[in-house]
Amino acid sequence: NIKLFMNVCNAVQKAGIDACFKVIGDGPRLNWARSFAKKHELNNITFEGRVTRDEVASKMKAADVLIFTSLSEANTSTFFEALQSICIPVALDLDGFSRNITSEIGFKININQPYAKIVHEYVAVLRELSMNKDHVIRLRDNIKKNLSSYSWEELFNRHYKQIEKVRLR
């Protein structure tokens, strides 16, 4: 849902919020996103293109927040990688994000509202984080404290328990 992401970037810039966005990858909508950024004169976004796994990890570690705008994400490896890098997740309240993101570690955006309000909610979260560094520190500390709950091993164990329940029936 790159359209939603780009609309968030545009609204953040219009609101004068001190935030910069990096888009990593070269998906099929990259040219559209670049055109959108140029048309709206967005200076808060850079397009990194395809980079190595090590560069992705480095960029995540340098970031404070990872924004998910997709309507079809369940809980990708990117979510767990972001937490391992102590990035605060901000995602639409659906699928796996609904269960895994709590107010202790990040933000869920209500999807049962008009599109403009969804954009506004992302902007409000980013405004809060840009203006309240103590909140950022608190969220990141909570991620660190609960990191074992978001490890690949824990994810495997949760899946394994579900498989065992089904198998034992």
Side-chain angles (χ1 to χ4, degrees):
N1 196 354
I2 192 73
K3 179 181 178 185
L4 174 57
F5 177 75
M6 296 304 295
N7 282 312
V8 169
C9 294
N10 190 28
V12 164
Q13 182 169 296
K14 285 181 178 177
I17 296 169
D18 183 21
C20 61
F21 302 91
K22 292 184 188 254
V23 176
I24 298 173
D26 61 355
R29 302 282 317 256
L30 180 60
N31 288 335
W32 177 88
R34 284 185 170 141
S35 295
F36 182 99
K38 186 175 180 178
K39 175 182 175 184
H40 294 278
E41 299 177 352
L42 299 183
N43 57 20
N44 62 352
I45 187 167
T46 57
F47 297 94
E48 303 285 321
R50 183 176 290 269
V51 298
T52 67
R53 297 271 319 136
D54 288 342
E55 288 175 286
V56 171
S58 176
K59 290 176 188 303
M60 275 192 184
K61 285 184 174 130
D64 291 316
V65 176
L66 188 64
I67 296 176
F68 295 90
T69 56
S70 176
L71 293 169
S72 61
E73 299 280 353
N75 251 6
T76 64
S77 60
T78 309
F79 171 72
F80 295 101
E81 291 167 348
L83 292 175
Q84 295 297 316
S85 296
I86 319 301
C87 284
I88 300 164
V90 181
L92 294 170
D93 187 3
L94 52 86
D95 300 327
F97 295 128
S98 295
R99 286 192 325 268
N100 287 310
I101 298 176
T102 68
S103 61
E104 297 293 315
I105 65 160
F107 299 88
K108 295 182 284 193
I109 306 298
N110 179 2
I111 60 170
N112 296 313
Q113 57 186 335
Y115 184 85
K117 288 192 178 203
I118 291 171
V119 171
H120 176 76
E121 206 171 321
Y122 273 99
V123 172
V125 164
L126 295 170
R127 178 182 287 115
E128 163 66 20
L129 294 174
S130 73
M131 295 177 68
N132 188 343
K133 295 302 177 192
D134 288 339
H135 197 180
V136 171
I137 291 167
R138 200 168 33 257
L139 290 166
R140 293 182 89 178
D141 284 347
N142 288 338
I143 291 169
K144 288 176 193 173
K145 286 179 201 167
N146 295 296
L147 207 49
S148 64
S149 299
Y150 295 103
S151 69
W152 290 112
E153 184 177 354
E154 178 60 26
L155 181 61
F156 168 80
N157 288 335
R158 281 191 270 160
H159 284 129
Y160 186 78
K161 285 177 188 173
Q162 294 303 316
I163 292 168
E164 284 298 300
K165 283 181 188 177
V166 172
R167 212 168 67 169
L168 295 174
R169 288 184 187 172

